[in-house]
């Protein structure tokens, strides 16, 4: 028994594959960019809901870097901002009782609060040892009259990228069900024309 294989290849087959590749890359990039734009929109909503920072602030600091058609395509949602002080969106309150006889006993506490009260991550709580100075929620570093440290709440970049944050898990789940569908829809449309 003898096996014989004849391979016949059309001369234009490789050119055809190369031309399809050049048509498919822009279509795949369009699908990827469409998916990432939706990821950005959803991330702004999720981060705002989780942290209590207004959507305008989150959206203004979150930008989209689109993918270009090439051998490797990468689209990025990038957030860059400073740590947001508690005083900015936390509505801080610190009641200082200047009358130590207010509760009827001599030598009472100067302040009736454990610390300044503010809202961070949509939770209102007291920060022990903190007080409000110059409109900021601060705490002393070290003993005595040491330097003051301004307390912060959310860092938007962490909310977008840290694996322990709820936005990251939700974005991964959305990518698993959405990205391939969007890219394939654009690729099939490009092949059909």
């Amino acid at each position: 028994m003898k096996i014989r294989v004849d391979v016949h290849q059309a001369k234009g087959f490789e050119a055809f594959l190369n031309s399809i590749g050049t048509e498919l890359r822009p279509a795949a990039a369009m699908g990827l960019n469409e998916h990432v734009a939706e990821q950005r929109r959803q991330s702004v909503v999720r981060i705002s809901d989780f942290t209590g920072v207004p959507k305008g602030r989150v959206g203004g600091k979150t930008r989209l870097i689109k993918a270009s058609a090439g051998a490797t395509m990468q689209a990025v949602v990038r957030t860059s901002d400073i740590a947001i002080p508690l005083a900015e969106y936390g509505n801080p309150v610190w009641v200082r009782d200047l009358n130590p006889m207010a509760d009827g006993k001599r030598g009472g506490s100067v302040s009736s609060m454990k610390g300044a009260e503010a809202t961070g991550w949509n939770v209102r709580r007291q920060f022990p040892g903190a007080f409000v100075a110059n409109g900021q929620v601060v705490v002393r570093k070290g003993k005595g009259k040491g330097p003051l440290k301004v307390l912060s709440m959310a860092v938007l970049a962490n909310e977008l990228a840290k694996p322990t944050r709820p936005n990251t898990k939700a974005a991964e789940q959305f990518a698993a069900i959405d990205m391939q569908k969007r890219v394939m829809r654009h690729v099939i449309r490009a092949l059909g024309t």
Side-chain angles (χ1 to χ4, degrees):
M1 180 188 281
K2 187 175 180 183
I3 298 175
R4 181 177 173 198
V5 177
D6 293 328
V7 177
H8 300 284
Q9 183 176 357
K11 292 180 181 180
F13 186 66
E14 288 182 20
F16 171 72
L17 287 179
N18 288 336
S19 69
I20 285 182
T22 58
E23 291 177 18
L24 295 185
R25 284 185 183 138
M30 284 174 49
L32 181 60
N33 289 334
E34 186 178 293
H35 166 74
V36 173
E38 183 63 20
Q39 280 281 24
R40 179 196 175 278
R41 187 192 67 75
Q42 288 185 12
S43 290
V44 167
V45 171
R46 280 192 297 261
I47 290 171
S48 178
D49 289 347
F50 182 68
T51 62
V53 177
K55 290 178 190 171
R57 168 79 180 257
V58 178
K61 301 294 182 177
T62 304
R63 65 186 192 109
L64 174 64
I65 301 170
K66 293 186 176 185
S68 60
T72 59
M73 288 181 249
Q74 180 180 6
V76 178
V77 177
R78 180 173 291 158
T79 297
S80 55
D81 195 10
I82 60 170
I84 300 170
L86 275 170
E88 194 164 343
Y89 301 113
N91 191 20
V93 174
W94 183 57
V95 178
R96 183 171 184 163
D97 185 3
L98 297 177
N99 182 3
M101 292 286 292
D103 57 355
K105 299 177 186 174
R106 185 156 180 79
S109 174
V110 174
S111 178
S112 58
M113 298 177 73
K114 290 189 292 186
E117 184 177 272
T119 303
W121 293 277
N122 290 328
V123 176
R124 187 89 176 153
R125 66 184 186 108
Q126 285 188 0
F127 295 86
F131 56 95
V132 177
N134 296 328
Q136 297 291 332
V137 179
V138 295
V139 66
R140 291 206 185 275
K141 293 195 304 190
K143 295 182 179 180
K145 299 250 183 205
L148 299 177
K149 176 185 174 190
V150 176
L151 296 182
S152 302
M153 53 178 283
V155 177
L156 297 181
N158 290 348
E159 300 298 328
L160 187 69
K162 273 193 173 178
T164 57
R165 298 295 193 222
N167 178 63
T168 307
K169 293 174 187 166
E172 289 172 358
Q173 292 171 349
F174 180 67
I177 63 172
D178 182 70
M179 184 169 56
Q180 184 179 357
K181 291 178 185 176
R182 288 185 192 261
V183 171
M184 288 305 294
R185 188 178 76 232
H186 283 277
V187 168
I188 290 170
R189 187 179 302 149
L191 287 173
T193 58

